[in-house]
Amino acid sequence: MNILPLPARLEPLPGAFQLTGDTLIYTDEANRLNAGYLQQHLTLPTGFAFLIQPEIDTALGIHLRINPALAHLGTEGYHLLASPRVVILEAPTPTGVFYAIQSLRQLLPASIEYKQRMSGEDWRIPTVEIYDQPRFSWRGFMLDEGRHFQGKEAVLQTLELMALQKLNVFHWHLTEDQGWRIQINAYPRLTEVGSHRPGTSRGLLGKQDGIPHTGFYTQADVREIVAYAAARHITVVPEIEFPGHSLAALASYPELSCTGGPFQVATHFGIFPDIYCAGKDSTFTFLQNVLDEVFELFPSPYIHIGGDEAPKKRWKACPDCQRRIRQEDLKDEHALQIYFTNRILKYLSQRGRRAIGWNQILDAGLARDAVVQYWLGSRQPLLQAIREDQRQVVMSSFLDAYLDHSYSLTPLSRAYRYEPVPAELDDAQSACILGLEFPLWSEHLRSRRRLDYQAYPRLSAMAETAWTPKAQKDLGSFRQRLVHFLERLGIMGVSFASLEEAQPSRLKQAFGIFTIFVPQTKISVK
Ligand code: ACM
Ligand code: ZN
């Protein structure tokens, strides 16, 4: 049994369930979509029809059903029973049944992942009983498309791979200094101007940047991606970043800045001084109008608002920002960022949404309902906010969880050992940790191959931390199951890093920190 992430409770039984041309899928109404998903996956490689029938308790075959008696497994837990006569996938919710399907998929031979008919395979499910539920409710993967646009096919494949690993939050970083990647009807220049990263002959790191790059998602693309994610029980949390990392928006609409511009979409990686002006009311009108379209596209209860790395240089010199500081009786420019954040948070909350932002938004006076995503800096303010305000937190520690790092800096074993709950917290306080997320920043991500290589197999290690009870995690067991899992990924066309590459020597690890600044150019894809 090579299920990854490892289920909470699994008991192998003697025997096997054989898939044949006569195997039927029985489902209740609530699991019709799940049944269609399962049917499609099984039919392509086996060539069997797997006709879908209304649920009949006693029939031989595969059963998908809601079972309210399993409420103790929570909204994502499930029970899977494979016997020689029936396979039962049941849960209190369709989400749980979907995760049972993902476990079932991994009980079958890896060739079940082929999209064409495979003859001569033995399609057997080993008999087993599983009771399973996740450790964390927020099991996220972040893709930055601001630096490099990956395109719809790469995103759909990413979502399918997330589903396979029971990850449930796709944090989609869509706006950056280097590119604005989502069509907004009220502001066409955001994509007409902001989606083009110009070329330049002198990049910050020589040949590593300065290559022109273009791309954005239409609203129709976004709808398709969000629906595809929803069918896989994944919430898409869009990030519309402010006040910093906003040069692509300012290049499109320079009047949103303190100085009036003109600006160019950033050609290289970095932190840039020009950010949205916090003094002009037109900035708030702009962001609210953008968010109105974002609300229409994304049903997510959470909207990510960024908030990291916002230099205060322009605000210090801007008459509008300084007037705002006086009028609102604010202490300084840091308090002005809190004012800015809270004003947008209020707008979100009036429309039934909650904000999540990087941990730089955590400062005195931040509205209570904002979730904080920790990535870098002292953990003391975070711990204090958890203890005093029950602040909810998602963990993405820079050295452990960033997938854009080289394998020298963050090897597979380090990714696997990452424990997101700070040891200083007691059990009640630990409940404030909603979960964890693995960011993949894209400055050096110019191809799908590279995306896969950075993510796999580290994302699989992190998925196990997000799902499996802490006491059951074991690196040796993970490595064994991973070998089978990678075979599956290979069939799915994923260009993962080899295990040797993912686990470099101590010497390479010692120098790994330098690889943050010197991008890797060589990859050896398995
Ligand atoms: C970040 O990595 N700047 C959130
Ligand atoms: Zn200003």
Side-chain angles (χ1 to χ4, degrees), residues 308-309 358 375 402 441:
D308 62 314
E309 299 176 328
W358 301 107
W375 69 285
Y402 270 40
W441 299 98

Side-chain angles (χ1 to χ4, degrees), residues 113-148:
E113 306 302 340
Y114 281 108
K115 297 284 178 242
Q116 77 269 15
R117 185 163 178 182
M118 305 301 294
S119 50
E121 290 282 341
D122 187 11
W123 303 111
R124 240 180 230 260
I125 298 164
T127 55
V128 65
E129 182 157 36
I130 298 173
Y131 286 92
D132 200 8
Q133 67 191 108
R135 180 177 173 204
F136 294 106
S137 64
W138 189 296
R139 304 181 300 280
F141 169 63
M142 189 213 83
L143 183 62
D144 163 25
E145 295 213 63
R147 275 59 178 240
H148 284 100

Side-chain angles (χ1 to χ4, degrees), residues 240-316:
I240 305 296
E241 168 131 40
F242 70 85
H245 289 293
S246 47
L247 209 42
L250 301 187
S252 313
Y253 295 98
E255 63 272 24
L256 300 170
S257 70
C258 290
T259 65
F263 307 104
Q264 205 189 26
V265 174
T267 57
H268 59 83
F269 189 72
I271 299 174
F272 298 89
D274 288 292
I275 67 176
Y276 291 113
C277 176
K280 299 181 179 73
D281 281 331
S282 53
T283 301
F284 294 92
T285 309
F286 166 82
L287 280 171
Q288 289 170 3
N289 289 342
V290 167
L291 286 170
D292 283 344
E293 294 191 32
V294 166
F295 298 150
E296 286 294 314
L297 294 167
F298 297 91
S300 165
Y302 296 93
I303 305 291
H304 206 297
I305 55 154
D308 62 314
E309 299 176 328
K312 305 297 185 291
K313 187 173 171 188
R314 296 290 185 256
W315 287 2
K316 283 191 166 89

